[in-house]
């Protein structure tokens, strides 16, 4: 099956040729398959929002090609199949939550027979039923965000694009939003999330891409990024002595700690050799683990490696 | 087309939520109330009765009185009502273009041109309702109190709304270009109250001007700027039951609307948000 989003060599230059020219996207290519939770990460100003806006026809690409649902993205009817939560959205303050959803349904040309019921359901899902008849101008930030989610999924879209969905939401609210995202995924939807909240992304994403200064600096799964294949942590039954340290000198041991040490492995045979040496010296191997770092560590080191815009 | 209707409907609702239009309504209601009180207090037949008996003045004089009265009502509505209309409508496009609003609209399966047209029709229909309320109010007061029913007076609803439609094309264009309601408002006031009246009366100044070039430039400017002053004259002529001197301002203004809205859509289509 083709990808739901297919981006090739996308370039976006704002104010092209002028003094304040900004290269917001610089040759971005990515493919996002159906039915996954995909997160686009990156520091402020990396180009995440710009990418999403181009997908939705809010900004125009300078060059490159984009396909949505296997079709040229310029086909305006495709937008009916996409739900979108904009970053820092402002909804008409004079509408109530319920009226806003009616308005959004109108804008999508979404007119099912049971629209009122559907609206009530959506408000229920985001726990806003209580506020459905309150004007938006009286909503808190978290309530706005929840309503924003409701309007993004109202017309039952196949692709849901959420730009910073947990922005301004408290920890409990965030957990609920994560649950909602997973629930949507279980229903077969594809969810595209822009975020810089790494710990959250880590919990829900099937795949991620990291954008820095308009370039993709990583794409793959969180696991692939945080599981460093070459570093192993070895736990022994007793503290090691200098002799064993001497014996292991030929290996890249990075960290000695009481009964544990970490070692960088080039080939698997090296690991076998280490095991052998330990056995010969009457050490018992209690644990052998691949080292996982946090997404945050990897993110920071990647951004530092590729240069941080904000510095 | 149904998209334009959707936007029109919601723009109308947005307009209802604005205090200015409500103010417009209240002011109109207030003026109508005063008028009602006045016509109840003054008994016109007491005035007309003895006069027409003594001086044997036929209905012609009465008609003249009513004409002046109608003009007296319609002129403030034209300049004051349109003042309020410009004031309250100039922010619709800049508000739509605000960060956080525009993303929501542009992500929907609606063409940018349809958004502009919807805004245009939504706001102008709001102004239409306001103007119709005022004119119908005058019409019924004159009719019920004095049995003076002048259906042609109702045409001023169309001409006043039309004058606004001309100005609103310009307001939309400036709004798209500058995203600033203040500049849209100021420029429109300048045109409505200064340039258009001056240019409409340019011929009176022609005997002072020698240069053919300046005359030519003034003539060109006259056709480029919205001819709201002439539409005002047409409105007065209707109120006075006079012949309309020329329909040309109407045609030129229709072209003006098409050009400003067309340009606004063209530019809007090219912009990044
Ligand atoms: N309309 C615009 N005109 C000019 N420059 C723009 C415009 N929109 C975005 N930019 C610039 O493009 C770059 C990328 O911005 P973008 O909003 O996509 O970043 P982001 O990754 O979403 O950041 P954040 O995490 O802060 O939301 C920034 O340098 C920004 O200033
Ligand atoms: Mg952003």
């Amino acid at each position: 099956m083709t990808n739901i989003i297919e981006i090739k060599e996308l370039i976006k230059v704002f104010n092209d040729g002028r003094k304040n020219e900004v290269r917001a996207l610089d040759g971005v290519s990515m493919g996002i398959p159906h039915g996954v939770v995909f997160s686009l990460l990156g520091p402020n100003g990396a180009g995440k929002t710009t990418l999403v806006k181009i997908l939705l026809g809010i900004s125009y690409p300078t060059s490159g090609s984009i396909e949505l649902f296997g079709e040229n993205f310029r086909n305006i009817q495709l937008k009916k199949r996409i739900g979108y939560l904009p970053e820092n959205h402002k909804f008409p303050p004079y509408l109530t939550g319920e009226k806003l959803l009616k308005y959004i349904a109108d804008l999508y040309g979404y007119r099912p027979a049971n629209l009122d019921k559907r609206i009530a359901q959506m408000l229920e899902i985001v726990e806003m039923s209580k506020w459905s008849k309150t004007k938006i101008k009286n909503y808190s930030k978290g309530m706005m965000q929840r309503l924003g989610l409701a309007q993004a999924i109202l017309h039952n879209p196949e692709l849901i694009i959420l730009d910073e969905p947990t922005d301004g939401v408290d920890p409990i609210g965030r957990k609920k939003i994560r649950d909602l995202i997973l629930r949507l995924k279980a229903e077969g939807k594809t969810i595209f999330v822009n975020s810089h909240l790494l710990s959250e992304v880590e919990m829900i994403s099937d795949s991620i891409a990291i954008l820095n200064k308009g370039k993709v600096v990583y794409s793959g799964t969180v696991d692939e990024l945080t599981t460093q294949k070459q570093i192993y942590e070895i736990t022994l039954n007793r503290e090691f002595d200098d002799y064993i340290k001497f014996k292991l000198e030929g290996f890249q041991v990075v960290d000695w700690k009481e009964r544990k040490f970490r070692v960088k492995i080039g080939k698997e045979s090296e690991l076998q050799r280490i095991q052998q040496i330990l056995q010969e010296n009457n050490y018992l191997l209690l644990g052998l683990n691949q080292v996982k770092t946090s997404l945050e560590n990897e993110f920071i080191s990647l951004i530092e490696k590729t240069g941080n815009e904000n510095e | 087309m149904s998209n334009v209707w959707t936007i029109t409907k919601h723009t109308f609702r947005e307009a209802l939520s604005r205090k200015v239009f409500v103010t417009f309504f209240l002011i109109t209601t207030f003026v109508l109330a005063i008028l009602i009180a006045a016509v109840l207090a003054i008994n016109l037949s007491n005035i007309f009765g003895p006069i027409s008996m003594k001086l044997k003045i036929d209905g012609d004089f009465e008609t003249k009185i009513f004409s002046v009265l109608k003009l007296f009502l319609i002129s403030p509505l034209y300049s004051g009502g349109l003042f309020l209309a410009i004031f309250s409508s100039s922010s619709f496009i800049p508000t739509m273009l605000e960060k956080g609003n525009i993303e929501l609209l542009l992500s929907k399966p609606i063409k940018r041109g349809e958004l502009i047209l919807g805004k245009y029709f939504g706001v102008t229909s709001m102004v239409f309702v306001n103007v119709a309320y005022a004119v119908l109010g005058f019409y019924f007061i004159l009719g019920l109190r004095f049995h003076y029913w002048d259906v042609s007076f109702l045409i001023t609803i169309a001409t006043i709304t039309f004058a606004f439609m001309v100005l609103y094309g310009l307001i939309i264009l400036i709004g798209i270009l500058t995203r600033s309601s203040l500049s849209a408002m100021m420029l429109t006031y300048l045109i409505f109250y200064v340039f258009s009246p001056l240019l409409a009366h340019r011929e009176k100044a022609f005997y002072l001007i020698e240069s053919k070039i300046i005359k030519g430039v003034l003539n060109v400017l006259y056709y480029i700027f919205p001819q709201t002053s002439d539409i005002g004259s047409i409105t007065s002529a209707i109120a006075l039951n006079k012949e309309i001197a020329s329909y040309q301002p109407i045609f030129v203004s229709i072209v003006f609307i098409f050009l400003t809205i067309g340009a606004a859509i063209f530019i809007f289509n090219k912009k990044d948000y």
Side-chain angles (χ1 to χ4, degrees), chain A residues 12 53 56-60 76 79-80 84 86 88-91 94 99 103 106-108 151, chain B residues 6 9-10 13-14 17 98-101 103-110 112 269 271-273:
Chain A
K12 175 65 193 177
K53 281 189 185 172
L56 289 157
I58 300 164
S59 292
Y60 299 115
I76 197 164
K79 294 188 193 178
K80 290 192 172 168
Y84 173 48
N88 306 322
H89 54 260
K90 271 191 220 145
F91 297 133
Y94 51 87
K99 291 257 168 65
Y103 172 47
D106 256 4
L107 292 178
Y108 277 113
Q151 66 81 32
Chain B
T6 301
K9 217 169 52 185
H10 286 280
R13 178 149 45 159
E14 184 183 345
S17 78
E98 269 172 27
K99 228 173 155 24
N101 278 339
E103 288 90 342
L104 202 69
L105 285 171
L106 293 184
S107 67
K108 304 295 176 275
I110 296 177
R112 293 185 181 200
N269 264 321
K271 283 207 170 190
D272 282 318
Y273 290 97

Side-chain angles (χ1 to χ4, degrees), chain B residues 28-40 66 69 73 133-149 153:
Chain B
T28 312
T29 309
F30 183 68
V31 170
L32 289 175
I34 288 182
L35 196 63
I36 290 171
V39 299
L40 285 178
F66 281 118
L69 193 56
L73 296 173
Y133 174 59
V135 174
L136 280 171
F138 297 156
Y139 174 75
F140 277 108
I141 289 171
L142 293 181
L144 292 173
R145 186 71 184 91
F146 306 119
H147 307 288
Y148 180 81
W149 302 99
F153 182 51

Side-chain angles (χ1 to χ4, degrees), chain A residues 4-5 27 30 51 63 81 91-92 98 100 115 149 156 193 216 253-254 258 261:
Chain A
I4 195 162
I5 300 177
M30 57 175 72
L51 179 73
S63 68
R81 299 159 72 180
F91 297 133
E98 200 178 67
L100 177 85
L115 181 62
L149 280 167
N156 199 17
V193 184
V216 177
V253 178
V254 286
E258 290 178 38
F261 66 92

Side-chain angles (χ1 to χ4, degrees), chain A residues 14-15 22 24 42-51 53 59 87 163-164 194 196 309, chain B residues 272-273:
Chain A
F14 284 109
N15 309 320
V22 181
N44 292 127
K48 306 181 293 291
T49 299
T50 302
L51 179 73
K53 281 189 185 172
S59 292
E87 170 185 62
D163 201 345
E164 320 257 352
N194 269 0
H196 32 220
E309 181 92 320
Chain B
D272 282 318
Y273 290 97

Side-chain angles (χ1 to χ4, degrees), chain B residues 239-264:
Chain B
L240 294 170
N241 300 92
K242 276 195 199 158
E243 277 285 303
I244 291 166
S246 160
Y247 287 94
Q248 165 264 316
I250 306 265
F251 299 121
V252 175
S253 297
I254 289 174
V255 174
F256 183 83
I257 294 175
F258 275 100
L259 287 180
T260 46
I261 295 293

